[in-house]
Amino acid sequence: MKRILTAAALAAALLSSAPRAAAACPYTVGPLGRYIAPAIVQGMTATNENQIEVWCSDALDGDDWFFIVDNETELRINDRVNLLIDAHETPDDFTDDTVEDCFFCHDCDKTED
């Protein structure tokens, strides 16, 4: 058992120090330079400026997204959301993409068509 744990720890250390290539964006950027990313709210942290930093994990590839909302938000941890992402005119490189808006619904069952 000790060998397996040691090998796993060594593999984790090697992977964390290896240089990483920029991954391709798993989404198709639309004609307005934006795309929708489904995500789950993982955490929320209050800031000193009456704002809340929201941490979401991408539902498709697990990437993390961070953005700021005002302190009167109705977002909650574990909410499923759709993030509107701005690709900043670099559709093949998502490292500079930013969250532009966050869409969610807490009472969608009550909404009429």
Side-chain angles (χ1 to χ4, degrees):
M1 187 73 157
K2 245 183 187 177
R3 285 186 191 167
I4 293 172
L5 292 176
T6 305
L10 178 61
L14 290 173
L15 287 174
S16 67
S17 64
R20 295 182 180 143
C25 181
Y27 301 99
T28 301
V29 178
L32 298 176
R34 285 147 180 80
Y35 58 94
I36 302 292
I40 299 170
V41 177
Q42 299 290 338
M44 300 173 79
T45 305
T47 68
N48 292 335
E49 294 84 27
N50 291 327
Q51 297 175 323
I52 297 174
E53 181 180 54
V54 179
W55 162 39
C56 290
S57 183
D58 192 307
L60 294 183
D61 62 7
D63 284 334
D64 290 332
W65 295 99
F66 295 90
F67 55 96
I68 301 289
V69 296
D70 64 30
N71 64 348
E72 296 178 14
T73 185
E74 294 180 15
L75 275 174
R76 300 182 291 227
I77 294 175
N78 294 323
D79 276 351
R80 294 183 182 275
V81 298
N82 285 312
L83 303 175
L84 176 63
I85 309 293
D86 187 344
H88 295 286
E89 299 180 13
T90 56
D92 296 330
D93 177 16
F94 72 95
T95 59
D96 65 344
D97 295 1
T98 56
V99 175
E100 197 168 272
D101 208 342
C102 177
F103 301 100
F104 62 97
C105 182
H106 289 143
D107 60 353
C108 292
D109 295 337
K110 299 176 186 175
T111 304
E112 294 181 22
D113 290 334

